[in-house]
Amino acid sequence: MIIIKSPEEIKAMRESGKLTAELCALLKEKIKPGITTLSLDDLALSWIRKKNAQPAFLGYHGYPKSICSSVNEEVVHGIPGSRVLVEGDIVGIDVGVIYNGFYGDMAFTAAIGQISAEARKLLEVTEQSLYAGIREAQVFHRLTDISHAVQEHAEKNGFSVVQQYVGHGIGRQMHEDPQVPNYGAPGCGPVLKPGMTMAIEPMVNMGTYEVEVLADGWTVVTKDRKLSAHFEHSILIGDNGPEILTKI
Ligand code: MF3
Ligand code: CO
């Protein structure tokens, strides 16, 4: 069942979304060659606590950290640790915050110093795919209009989209109905209504769309170990079009 949020609930979600976006902006500033992914996690956790919010990922099905940091061929759910980010890497940072009883969920992929032209294109196209999906998140459209727009943009640029993991409804739970695939034919699934809130999160690969999970039980990597990028926003289907809740 897709939960329609009331105006009060939407107000609370704007606040949790804004907090999530502020944290992403802070992390973006800190990302440079020589830092560890653990230092980003430490910073995120202390900042979240200082804001009287809670980290959404910490303890989620036993997940051990507050953010996810996925480097290069890692797609999503990379666990922060002692790994040092070096020039030429890309890192996907995924952040979830609970505030006022509501979740915000957002991700971006950043370049560490200079990266290859190919990698830069992957980042740009993945972010554009997210916005292509958001553009379809309109009243009276259908759910898979979003999915189709994401896939079309990624594939027309020569990349592939991950199918194994999907976006999701978001609200008082991190994962609500519906699932939001990043692929598929348009015009299917539920009709979108005002007050629906969802996290749209394309994961786009340079090579094969196939992925696998490492022995740590969390880190998702591309099967061919080529690069992958991930961007995510929590959005509202508004009366007057989509509204990005995780926007500063
Ligand atoms: N954005 C991811 C999701 O929607 C974050 C979950 S990471 C986890 O599933 F560690 F909490 F699982
Ligand atoms: Co998400």
Side-chain angles (χ1 to χ4, degrees):
M1 190 203 54
I2 303 178
I3 300 167
I4 304 288
K5 275 73 181 183
S6 69
E8 292 72 32
E9 290 172 324
I10 289 166
K11 214 175 139 215
M13 286 197 69
R14 285 194 183 105
E15 288 176 20
S16 59
K18 186 163 186 284
L19 216 53
T20 311
E22 279 173 16
L23 177 52
C24 280
L26 180 65
L27 292 171
K28 214 175 267 182
E29 273 175 37
K30 297 287 171 189
I31 292 174
K32 38 179 89 62
I35 64 152
T36 65
T37 51
L38 187 61
S39 70
L40 295 171
D41 189 78
D42 288 341
L43 173 70
L45 181 57
S46 55
W47 189 90
I48 291 168
R49 296 228 195 276
K50 194 178 74 192
K51 297 288 180 181
N52 295 314
Q54 287 156 257
F57 301 168
L58 185 63
Y60 180 82
H61 292 279
Y63 185 74
K65 296 290 174 194
S66 300
I67 65 170
C68 300
S69 54
S70 308
V71 183
N72 297 337
E73 75 280 5
E74 297 173 358
V75 179
V76 286
H77 304 168
I79 304 171
S82 55
R83 181 173 186 158
V84 176
L85 296 172
V86 300
E87 177 107 15
D89 283 343
I90 60 172
V91 61
I93 301 290
D94 195 344
V95 168
V97 166
I98 313 167
Y99 187 65
N100 285 332
F102 285 89
Y103 283 77
D105 191 3
M106 173 176 178
F108 65 93
T109 302
I112 314 301
Q114 288 294 330
I115 59 172
S116 69
E118 245 190 329
R120 167 125 346 254
K121 186 181 168 199
L122 178 70
L123 265 49
E124 284 169 6
V125 168
T126 307
E127 189 168 26
Q128 288 162 4
S129 302
L130 169 60
Y131 283 97
I134 292 173
R135 219 172 293 129
E136 295 300 319
Q138 305 264 359
V139 176
F140 298 129
H141 286 203
R142 284 189 182 252
L143 181 71
T144 69
D145 294 342
I146 298 172
S147 314
H148 181 73
V150 170
Q151 181 176 31
E152 190 177 59
H153 188 75
E155 290 186 352
K156 96 175 169 218
N157 283 283
F159 301 130
S160 67
V161 297
V162 173
Q163 304 194 359
Q164 203 79 25
Y165 299 86
V166 296
H168 48 93
I170 186 167
R172 289 188 193 274
Q173 303 294 327
M174 179 155 69
H175 296 141
E176 297 183 350
D177 282 345
Q179 293 197 359
V180 186
N182 296 301
Y183 62 94
C188 302
V191 175
L192 302 180
K193 298 201 173 77
M196 289 181 176
T197 47
M198 49 191 78
I200 304 174
E201 49 179 319
M203 291 141 271
V204 176
N205 296 352
M206 204 112 104
T208 180
Y209 72 96
E210 287 186 284
V211 298
E212 59 194 23
V213 180
L214 295 184
D216 64 14
W218 283 103
T219 312
V220 179
V221 297
T222 54
K223 246 189 181 150
D224 57 11
R225 302 299 190 266
K226 292 187 180 173
L227 296 182
S228 181
H230 178 215
F231 284 83
E232 175 177 23
H233 272 308
S234 299
I235 64 114
L236 163 74
I237 316 285
D239 289 302
N240 303 309
E243 177 182 326
I244 298 174
L245 298 167
T246 42
K247 194 168 146 181
I248 299 185

